[in-house]
Structure formats: structure tokens, C-alpha cells
Amino acid sequence: MSLQDYWGIGPKTATTLDEGLGTERAIRAIEGMDIGTLADAGLARGRATRILRHAHGEQGMGILTTPDARSVYKDLLARAQEHAITEHAGDRIRVLTPLTSVDAMDKRLDAVTLATETWRELDDASREAVLDAFADFDEMDGGERAAVETVLTLQEIGVHTGVFAPIDAIDADALADAAAALGSLDTTGDDPTVREGVDDDLDTARERLAAVEQLDAQGIDVIDAIQSDGVRSSAEFREAFVSHVAAETPLPAPRVREATPTDAADATDFVTQGLRELLATLHETFETREQAVVDDLETALDDSRDAIEAAVTAVNETAFQLSLARFVDAYDLTRPTFVESGCVGAVNARNLSLVAATETAVQPVTYAVGDHDCAAAVPTADRVSVLTGANSGGKTTLLETLCQVVVLAHMGLPVPADEAEVSRVDAIVFHRRHASFNAGVLESTLQTIVPPLTDSDRTLMLVDEFEAITEPGSAADLLYGLVRLAVNAGAIGVYVTHLADDLAPLPDRARTDGIFARGLNDDLTLDVDYQPQFETVGRSTPEFIVSRLVANASDRSERAGFEALAEAVGEDVVHQTLLDAEWSA
């Protein structure tokens, strides 16, 4: 297989990877979802991430048909990645993509559910010990030795069941042999070398070689030291050389004498030849002994190869599953149920962005469209809803929450709700409000949201205030057309709008729901019941907003301006709202 067979890898990128890693290793990194290795070779992490997402889930990425849907997807990955316990697990989370079959979604959910149950059963001390073991794995830069050491540590901790079962099943004796061999070999260079302290004979040869190399580097100082003793003949110089080398190195005098030349042109030539000959014999001794030790260690590694490979696989997979489990546990996510008929429904759904952003409890919302059994209070006959209601009433947040539920479910992950039913979709069309009357914006928006409706009967439409991109009259006509098109195409969807009255009567299997503001809190914030009321038109309640502006006006002229607006929306209502807020304080 060629590197250029992968999406996003052209000639320039292929050359970068080939020069940095070699083609074979680069392909292994791509297949192993190893962003770090690709980044070390010179690829930007973002580019490496995109390449791996397409390599491992190109079809699944196709369901995210709008920039806003992709934004939700990326935000979910970022939140999950915060709980990664190793760098490699974080990289694998970063390249998770939606799946295209319910079987694949259920299979991943099975694994994540098992990991979550295992994690929740651990006591605090065991959790900390497990996290420390994986932190040490990263400190050792991963690899075979780190994996073997991590498995041995986890086996000592005593985690045996659930997600740890593959780790517990690896032969501990084979791992101990592998750990000894891997700890003895340094494989960072081109050829494996033996670390100090592994073999006494090799350590002796290494020490002698290093000492003579240091002596050889002194050059003229050796000659001066010998001549300073007042030697006169070549025989005396030879013996003085032997004595000096034996005194300055751990070499015995007979070994030095064997390598000392019997004739030389002068003192410099004598010392140079003597040290060169000595270094040659020491190099040979060291290399011969090191190769023998390496051969023994590699034989031991070959004998433990199955255990080593099992350790690498088990550590990486366990770290990945536990990372997802910690994400699930942190947000109290729940396994969704997949249904055949088109629907998305959630009981007590919570928006993850809100949960992460506030320390106070987030009001959960129960909502559904399509044929569902999960939310008894929600109508079951309608495939499309028109969601109306108060400004800042959580309508867009509800759309995003539904998008989070569907994206997570399609990634084979639990969702932020007490209960959820989701059908497989071919396209998620999530379109946030983008205020602009530019004709180009209208055209590009329609080109984005209409084709998925005509291409498949498994489309989810989540469209926010479509009227913001064109004038109200045309917007109502176009929005009605989109609702009717969605119903006729067999799609499911939610359309947020302030133009509900202009859309009546809606097509069959479409309904109108409303979110209502109840007034102002004592701090003049809007008091909203975020739970939609079904088959009811919500109201924007601008009097509440104007009431707050009147109360918060900083000077007399500013207050007068807002009181003029109060007259327009109903002065009595505004004053009553302010009075209610004051009495509730």
C-alpha cells in the first residue's frame, strides 16, 4: 500500500513521512492511530488527526453535513479527551468518528459500558493506583517495555475483572522475563545495546574501553607524564608506558604490555600506536561480549513475544476504554437504545456545554420527535416539530443537546440523558442562527440543508431561526416549505422560529411546541421553564427583556429611552413585571 492511497496524503506529505519515518513505519502509525508518531515526523497534529479520521471512519464523518454539526462533534471529542489517561488514548479519542451501522455502535457501547461499570466499582485508592500506573506508562514514552511494566503493575494492584480481564490473563512469568530482557536492552539507536549492570564481563569491558578512550584523548599529556619520570632508553619508555596506562585505567599491566609496540620511530609514535592497538583489542572484546549478551536477550524476548504483544495491545485498549469510561462517569451518561423507525428522543437530557460551564444544576429537558417509546409525555405521531418561545429561552441549546445525543450515539458512546432512543441517520443537518440578509448566505444555507433531505429518508434536521437570513415574509414561506419537505422526505427534525403563526396550518405529522418565560428572578435574570410545552405556541415575551433594561438603566436619559420601549410593548405589563421581581426578592 502506498502512503498516497490515504486521504489527505499527497506527494509532499508522503515525502515528509517517508523521510521522517520510512513508508512502512508511517503506514503502521496511520493504521495504529498514532498521532504522536506522525507529528514527530513533521506533520501538524491537526492534519495528522484529519488524515486518521478519514483513514478509520471516512463514511461516518459523512453524516456531519454542516459546519455546526462538525463543531458539536469536535467539542464532544475535546470533552472526552480531557479524561484520557495516556497520550495514546487521547489520540485515539481524537480520531473517533461516527459509525455507520447499529451493530458497530452497539459493539462499541458494549465495551464502553463494561469499562464504565469496572471503573465505578473501583474504590478511590484503586482508581488512583491505576491512574498512576498509566501515568508511568507515559513517563516511559510508551512502547513494549512500558506496556510490560504497566501490566505487571496492574496485576500487582489486583484489578482482575471487567475491562482489566485481558491484562489479568497475560502470563506473569513470561512478562517478568520480558521485563528483565527489555530493561536490559536499549533500543533507542539503530542497533540494540546492553545497558550497564546487566552483565559483569560486559561492564568490565565497557569500563576499560572508556578509560583508554579518555587516555587516548589526552595525547601529548601522556607523553609528557612518561618523560617526566626521566626515562632514557626505549625499553624504559616502554615499561613506563605500561605502568602509566595500568595506573590510569582498570587494565592489568600484562594486558597493556600485549598491545604495546616493540618498535616505534619516536615517543609520539610509540604512544599513538600503543593506545590505538589497545583500543582495537578492547573494542573487539567489548563488541563480541555485547553481541553475545544481545543474542541471549533477544532469544528471551522471542520466547516472550506473545506476552509482550498481548501487553501492548491490552494496555493501549484498556487505557482507551477507561478514558471513555471516565468521560461517561464524569457526565453521568446513559446508554441509548437504537430503534428502526425514525426518531430522536431523550428523557431528562442535559447539554454538556452547560453542565461543564456551570456549578449549579442544569434543568434537564425531555423532548422527542418521531416514533418513540421513551418519553410518555411527548407526542409520538409527529416527525417534525416547530419550536417557539422566549428569547434566551434555551431553544438553540435544546437543538444542540439533541445534536449531542445523536452524535454520541452514532459514535457508539452513552448520551447525556436518563433515557434515550435514537434511530440511525445518514445525515445530521444542524444549522445555528447566523444573522445576515445577504443573498449569498441564503443560497449557501439552502444548498447545505436541502440536499440531505432529498438524498435520504434518514436525515435529522436541527435548524435554528432560519428567518435570520432573509426577510420575514419570504422566511415564513421558505420555512414552511422546509417543514413540508422534511415530512414528505421521511426525515425527523426540529425547526426553531419566531414565525409559528405564519406557518399554520402545519402539515400532518408536524407540531408546534413552546418554551415559556415566567418572569424575572430577583436578580432580574429571565426566569425560564426550559421544558417545552407540547403542541403549544411559545411567546417571545419582550416585556421581560425591556423590564430588565429599564431596571438596569445607568442614567436618567437611558432609562427614559427604555421606558419609551416599555410603552410600546405595554407599560402596565413592564411595571407589573418589575413589581413581581421586587416582591420575589
Side-chain angles (χ1 to χ4, degrees):
M1 188 172 188
S2 166
L3 283 171
Q4 292 188 55
D5 290 337
Y6 291 98
W7 177 95
I9 299 183
K12 185 176 179 180
T13 302
T15 299
T16 298
L17 291 175
D18 187 51
E19 291 176 351
L21 298 171
T23 297
E24 220 175 279
R25 189 178 170 202
I27 289 175
R28 284 202 304 271
I30 293 171
E31 294 298 324
M33 293 179 282
D34 191 345
I35 293 176
T37 295
L38 297 177
D40 290 342
L43 256 63
R45 292 188 73 88
R47 182 169 181 78
T49 299
R50 290 191 296 274
I51 289 171
L52 294 185
R53 282 176 183 162
H54 281 271
H56 293 275
E58 185 168 6
Q59 287 183 319
M61 290 296 292
I63 75 170
L64 306 170
T65 60
T66 63
D68 289 324
R70 292 188 288 273
S71 176
V72 168
Y73 158 76
K74 291 176 183 177
D75 178 71
L76 292 171
L77 289 185
R79 295 190 188 284
Q81 193 184 345
E82 291 174 358
H83 301 277
I85 61 177
T86 65
E87 289 185 9
H88 186 261
D91 286 343
R92 284 189 62 181
I93 290 172
R94 191 183 285 113
V95 300
L96 277 176
T97 65
L99 301 166
T100 55
S101 76
V102 172
D103 285 344
M105 298 171 203
D106 272 327
K107 183 177 180 181
R108 183 175 287 168
L109 277 164
D110 287 342
V112 175
T113 299
L114 176 64
T116 303
E117 291 171 350
T118 305
W119 180 252
R120 287 173 173 168
E121 289 171 359
L122 296 178
D123 57 35
D124 290 342
S126 296
R127 287 187 180 186
E128 186 174 351
V130 167
L131 293 178
D132 286 344
F134 283 107
D136 291 341
F137 174 83
D138 269 356
E139 284 291 324
M140 296 176 68
D141 294 326
E144 291 184 345
R145 183 186 179 193
V148 169
E149 297 283 2
T150 301
V151 169
L152 288 171
T153 299
L154 292 172
Q155 289 180 343
E156 290 175 6
I157 291 171
V159 284
H160 304 300
T161 60
V163 74
F164 297 108
I167 283 177
D168 187 62
I170 303 174
D171 186 286
D173 292 336
L175 286 174
D177 293 342
L182 289 166
S184 300
L185 281 176
D186 183 351
T187 58
T188 56
D190 294 334
D191 297 313
T193 58
V194 181
R195 293 185 172 92
E196 292 185 23
V198 174
D199 181 81
D200 291 341
D201 290 343
L202 183 60
D203 287 344
T204 298
R206 181 186 285 113
E207 182 183 7
R208 290 175 174 178
L209 177 59
V212 174
E213 285 177 335
Q214 183 177 3
L215 199 62
D216 183 52
Q218 297 174 4
I220 192 68
D221 294 338
V222 176
I223 298 173
D224 291 343
I226 295 172
Q227 290 178 333
S228 67
D229 292 336
V231 297
R232 298 176 182 177
S233 65
S234 60
E236 289 178 351
F237 191 92
R238 185 172 187 271
E239 286 305 312
F241 171 78
V242 171
S243 298
H244 181 81
V245 173
E248 296 294 323
T249 70
L251 282 168
R255 180 70 183 275
V256 179
R257 189 174 287 109
E258 290 175 4
T260 303
T262 55
D263 57 341
D266 52 30
T268 300
D269 189 37
F270 188 94
V271 170
T272 300
Q273 286 188 41
L275 292 177
R276 185 179 300 160
E277 180 65 27
L278 195 55
L279 283 172
T281 59
L282 290 174
H283 268 296
E284 183 179 359
T285 300
F286 173 77
E287 290 170 359
T288 300
R289 183 58 192 168
E290 182 172 52
Q291 188 58 56
V293 176
V294 167
D295 289 344
D296 288 343
L297 292 172
E298 289 186 336
T299 297
L301 290 177
D302 287 341
D303 292 341
S304 303
R305 179 51 52 190
D306 289 346
I308 293 171
E309 291 179 355
V312 171
T313 299
V315 166
N316 285 330
E317 185 63 23
T318 302
F320 172 62
Q321 296 297 346
L322 283 178
S323 298
L324 293 176
R326 294 177 72 235
F327 167 60
V328 171
D329 187 58
Y331 287 99
D332 195 22
L333 307 183
T334 301
R335 180 170 184 153
T337 299
F338 294 104
V339 295
E340 183 59 34
S341 58
C343 89
V344 53
V347 177
N348 291 331
R350 303 167 297 279
N351 184 282
L352 293 188
S353 301
L354 284 183
V355 171
T358 181
E359 295 181 359
T360 60
V362 172
Q363 179 185 347
V365 173
T366 296
Y367 202 74
V369 287
D371 299 315
H372 65 89
D373 294 319
C374 65
V378 185
T380 60
D382 303 311
R383 300 185 66 85
V384 175
S385 71
V386 174
L387 184 60
T388 62
N391 293 314
S392 303
K395 300 185 296 297
T396 303
T397 300
L398 176 53
L399 289 189
E400 183 179 79
T401 304
L402 294 174
C403 189
Q404 290 176 348
V405 167
V406 176
V407 171
L408 283 170
H410 279 69
M411 290 169 65
L413 298 176
V415 303
D418 291 350
E419 183 182 351
E421 285 186 359
V422 177
S423 60
R424 185 184 67 78
V425 299
D426 295 327
I428 299 173
V429 181
F430 179 34
H431 180 75
R432 287 190 178 97
R433 179 180 184 273
H434 301 283
S436 173
F437 286 160
N438 185 299
V441 173
L442 174 61
E443 181 178 357
S444 63
T445 300
L446 292 174
Q447 287 176 332
T448 299
I449 67 178
V450 172
L453 282 172
T454 59
D455 290 344
S456 171
D457 60 356
R458 289 182 173 271
T459 298
L460 171 65
M461 302 292 292
L462 301 169
V463 180
D464 183 24
E465 291 193 34
F466 180 80
E467 61 264 28
I469 60 174
T470 188
E471 64 275 5
S474 299
D477 293 337
L478 287 170
L479 183 55
Y480 183 86
L482 284 173
V483 171
R484 184 174 57 192
L485 178 60
V487 171
N488 292 340
I492 53 175
V494 181
Y495 293 86
V496 167
T497 184
H498 293 286
L499 305 177
D501 291 337
D502 297 324
L503 303 182
L506 289 173
D508 290 341
R509 302 212 68 182
R511 70 173 189 266
T512 300
D513 299 329
I515 293 177
F516 290 84
R518 295 172 290 210
L520 295 179
N521 295 311
D522 55 0
D523 60 355
L524 298 182
T525 58
L526 201 62
D527 179 17
V528 178
D529 180 7
Y530 296 105
Q531 173 59 54
Q533 296 182 26
F534 305 107
E535 302 180 306
T536 303
V537 177
R539 297 302 175 190
S540 296
T541 56
E543 64 271 17
F544 296 146
I545 305 300
V546 174
S547 300
R548 182 166 58 188
L549 293 172
V550 169
N552 290 333
S554 58
D555 57 48
R556 182 177 299 175
S557 61
E558 183 179 291
R559 182 183 180 90
F562 289 130
E563 285 180 337
L565 292 180
E567 292 181 15
V569 300
E571 188 173 10
D572 292 344
V573 175
V574 169
H575 287 165
Q576 185 61 50
T577 298
L578 291 173
L579 185 62
D580 291 343
E582 179 181 345
W583 276 102
S584 67

